[in-house]
Amino acid sequence: MKAKKVTKAIFPVAGLGTRFLPATKSIPKEIMTLVDRPLIQYAIDEARAAGIKEFIFVTSRGKSALEDYFDNAPELESALKKSGKDDLLEILKETNMDSGAIAYIRQNRPLGLGHAVWCARRLVGNEPFAVLLPDDVIAAEKPCLQQMVEAYAETGGNMVAAMEVAPERTSSYGVLDIGEDMGSIVKAKGMVEKPAKGTAPSNLAVIGRYILSPKVMTNLNRMKQGAGGEIQLTDAIAEEVADGNVFGYRFRGQRYDCGSKAGFLQATVAFGLSRPDLRDEFGAYLHDMIALQKAAQ
Ligand code: G1P
């Protein structure tokens, strides 16, 4: 056991969500729902399962719906109590956060993911911390961050979730340069954010789950601009490879890119089909739709 326990997580949720306009004109992207749960709830549940106790949201203007979502809703709760809807009260409980367990920090300018994470530096202090990007929704038997916490207990250092992607897609991701490949764990000898086509060091891409050392925060202090003129988290992590302290973790599970419309729809179908209360009706509908489409071709 090399590593200190990870109890704090940062959720960068300051993005404008322009890919989902007009919906995101008045609701934060993270409140958009997969079936009946907002994207952010999936990330929070995953963090809780991994032992996270302090939740730090890096927000921006127009995200107050997120704060309300995690607060008590006294009128709603008493109405449900009065009408004896205990099952719904139970569901609401998942959204309640203890006072002091959740903090909101504003990123007042969109300077990149690295900058968003850096905004939480004072709350993180001198401890390892997790970062979860709620756009990346990961369906897994054992939640992804929990898998990583277990692997990290052996490696220490810094760990990023990793997944093989098609070579023509590497320019959309942070990409690992593989030093030593140990199967589920990979030691990185480099990391590049959004490599230009044809220059990626591998097709092992970084997915939005990280366990990072406080050293990465210190690296972010330099505010170095990277890909797209933004302050990149990938670059601050990459500075740690020289010490052999950066690991990729090939998680077991299915990742959905809910930052894209197609990915969001795929996740909606997958989560809809995995729900016992919807599976039959929704499955039959999809089946008929496909049959109709085939017949029309
Ligand atoms: C971010 C990170 C990138 C990572 C990706 C995973 O990029 O900067 O390294 O591969 O998330 O989803 P974004 O998708 O925010 O452009």
Side-chain angles (χ1 to χ4, degrees):
M1 183 83 147
K2 284 187 180 177
K4 223 171 149 183
K5 219 165 176 293
V6 187
T7 60
K8 297 182 178 177
I10 301 175
F11 301 81
V13 289
L16 289 175
T18 48
R19 278 198 253 176
F20 286 92
L21 279 170
T24 45
K25 184 181 171 202
S26 65
I27 50 162
K29 181 178 60 175
E30 299 76 19
I31 290 288
M32 289 177 40
T33 54
L34 283 179
V35 190
D36 49 13
R37 293 148 61 80
L39 276 189
I40 192 68
Q41 183 78 52
Y42 292 87
I44 291 283
D45 289 350
E46 186 180 327
R48 275 192 180 131
I52 298 298
K53 305 281 181 239
E54 289 181 52
F55 304 80
I56 305 164
F57 284 60
V58 182
T59 68
S60 58
R61 290 166 63 83
K63 298 276 180 170
S64 51
L66 266 173
E67 298 191 28
D68 291 340
Y69 178 78
F70 288 110
D71 206 344
N72 286 348
E75 292 93 358
L76 179 58
E77 281 165 28
S78 72
L80 292 175
K81 235 178 242 157
K82 253 189 220 151
S83 50
K85 301 223 163 94
D86 294 342
D87 48 337
L88 294 180
L89 274 169
E90 273 309 301
I91 291 177
L92 269 193
K93 263 195 203 146
E94 290 172 30
T95 66
N96 285 356
M97 288 288 204
D98 292 339
S99 296
I102 191 159
Y104 300 91
I105 297 265
R106 283 252 174 137
Q107 182 190 27
N108 55 11
R109 279 180 300 158
L111 297 178
L113 177 60
H115 179 261
V117 167
W118 176 84
C119 289
R121 67 200 176 283
R122 292 204 175 85
L123 290 177
V124 161
N126 195 28
E127 281 180 43
F129 58 98
V131 178
L132 293 93
L133 309 186
D135 273 1
D136 283 332
V137 175
I138 301 171
E141 213 163 286
K142 183 184 281 188
C144 179
L145 191 66
Q146 194 182 345
Q147 296 177 36
M148 289 172 70
V149 161
E150 287 170 13
Y152 168 81
E154 304 301 321
T155 61
N158 299 275
M159 181 168 277
V160 301
M163 177 181 107
E164 258 73 39
V165 298
E168 64 276 13
R169 299 283 305 134
T170 47
S171 57
S172 304
Y173 294 93
V175 178
L176 293 168
D177 191 355
I178 300 172
E180 198 183 330
D181 197 332
M182 298 163 276
S184 55
I185 298 177
V186 164
K187 189 181 260 189
K189 64 175 158 103
M191 251 176 116
V192 197
E193 180 66 15
K194 314 239 160 68
K197 287 222 167 1
T199 68
S202 77
N203 67 336
L204 191 58
V206 176
I207 299 303
R209 301 291 183 273
Y210 307 78
I211 298 174
L212 301 175
S213 64
K215 187 74 198 321
V216 171
M217 278 294 185
T218 316
N219 298 344
L220 285 168
N221 281 334
R222 284 196 287 281
M223 297 286 153
K224 219 176 80 194
Q225 279 187 13
E230 296 189 343
I231 297 159
Q232 296 291 355
L233 183 58
T234 298
D235 296 341
I237 303 169
E239 287 184 40
E240 296 304 297
V241 294
D243 296 333
N245 264 339
V246 179
F247 301 90
Y249 180 76
R250 290 190 180 96
F251 57 94
R252 294 174 304 281
Q254 176 68 45
R255 173 254 185 178
Y256 297 96
D257 175 11
C258 290
S260 81
K261 286 175 202 166
F264 204 102
L265 287 172
Q266 287 158 15
T268 301
V269 171
F271 282 85
L273 288 176
S274 73
R275 284 270 297 257
D277 55 333
L278 294 169
R279 185 181 297 147
D280 293 347
E281 191 184 342
F282 187 46
Y285 169 74
L286 285 180
H287 187 269
D288 291 350
M289 279 282 279
I290 291 164
L292 267 177
Q293 267 198 343
K294 274 200 184 135
Q297 272 165 15

